[in-house]
Amino acid sequence: NNNNNNKIEVIVEMEKGMDVAYSFVSSGYAITPPTSKNKDCPLKINVTLFDEKNIDKKEGDSVIVNVNISPNNEYIISNSENISIPFPMTVAIIGLPAGLELNYEKMKEMTKTKEIDFYETKGNEVILYWRYFSKTMSRDLKLHTIAGIPGKYTGVASRVYLYYNDEFIYWQKGLSVEIAPRTI
């Protein structure tokens, strides 16, 4: 359920006989992990498809992913931040739905024009880095992708945080897209 009150209990009891060594391994997964308390997150992220009303795309279509990263005023006010000193190294991880293919040439252009300092990709995640991030200015980016493989896809959750302070993360649910086969 979504109320974060899930409880799992495992009980191992030996009633008779010798002690037995055992181990237990568990893992979990959250589609969108909970965001840290708002006053603890220095930045916020909003990721959308350029044309949200029309999430159905055809194979081969250009798809723009909008990324907005902005300072969290609640954090700045509650921490009495000096707004003239920028945030240090900042990381934004954008989860792309599996059917979208990133345009690497456009990413290289973004580094040349200093929209981002550098980037890397891991699977369907685009990891964006800035050496510093202004406390008074938002950044609006456009990630250029191509609808490559027909199907329905939802990407992993996107997030933003300060590089050396990754316990305070602002999460956003993953993007969804449906890609139709190209008609001939």
Side-chain angles (χ1 to χ4, degrees):
N1 67 29
N2 290 331
N3 63 8
N4 295 327
N5 292 326
N6 298 334
K7 181 178 178 182
I8 298 173
E9 188 173 322
V10 176
I11 299 172
V12 178
E13 291 182 21
M14 284 293 292
E15 294 197 14
K16 294 183 181 174
M18 295 176 31
D19 290 340
V20 176
Y22 66 91
S23 66
F24 176 79
V25 177
S26 175
S27 65
Y29 179 80
I31 293 173
T32 307
T35 291
S36 302
K37 291 180 183 168
N38 205 21
K39 66 179 181 56
D40 293 332
C41 294
L43 297 159
K44 292 183 175 186
I45 189 168
N46 186 31
V47 181
T48 59
L49 293 176
F50 182 69
D51 185 5
E52 285 219 329
K53 293 180 182 115
N54 180 14
I55 63 168
D56 298 335
K57 303 294 180 188
K58 287 195 168 93
E59 182 181 9
D61 284 354
S62 175
V63 180
I64 304 293
V65 176
N66 290 320
V67 178
N68 172 271
I69 301 168
S70 58
N72 180 356
N73 291 331
E74 190 174 329
Y75 170 87
I76 292 170
I77 291 168
S78 68
N79 289 291
S80 301
E81 289 281 319
N82 180 343
I83 62 170
S84 65
I85 300 171
F87 290 123
M89 177 76 92
T90 300
V91 179
I93 302 175
I94 314 305
L96 294 179
L100 298 181
E101 300 169 3
L102 186 64
N103 182 328
Y104 289 95
E105 289 303 314
K106 294 286 188 182
M107 294 303 296
K108 289 177 188 174
E109 286 177 25
M110 291 172 71
T111 57
K112 286 180 184 174
T113 61
K114 301 294 184 197
E115 290 179 79
I116 57 175
D117 287 320
F118 42 98
Y119 76 96
E120 62 182 322
T121 58
K122 289 185 182 173
N124 287 354
E125 294 180 321
V126 181
I127 306 162
L128 308 173
Y129 298 92
W130 293 270
R131 289 184 180 90
Y132 63 89
F133 201 98
S134 170
K135 292 178 184 171
T136 59
M137 190 174 85
S138 293
R139 293 193 186 241
D140 291 303
L141 307 170
K142 293 190 182 323
L143 301 183
H144 294 261
T145 66
I146 300 293
I149 304 168
K152 285 184 177 183
Y153 304 98
T154 299
V156 298
S158 296
R159 56 228 182 250
V160 65
Y161 58 92
L162 300 181
Y163 187 80
Y164 296 107
N165 201 6
D166 65 354
E167 66 267 25
F168 300 118
I169 300 176
Y170 190 93
W171 292 89
Q172 183 196 339
K173 72 177 188 168
L175 292 177
S176 293
V177 67
E178 185 169 349
I179 301 169
R182 186 177 346 172
T183 54
I184 300 175

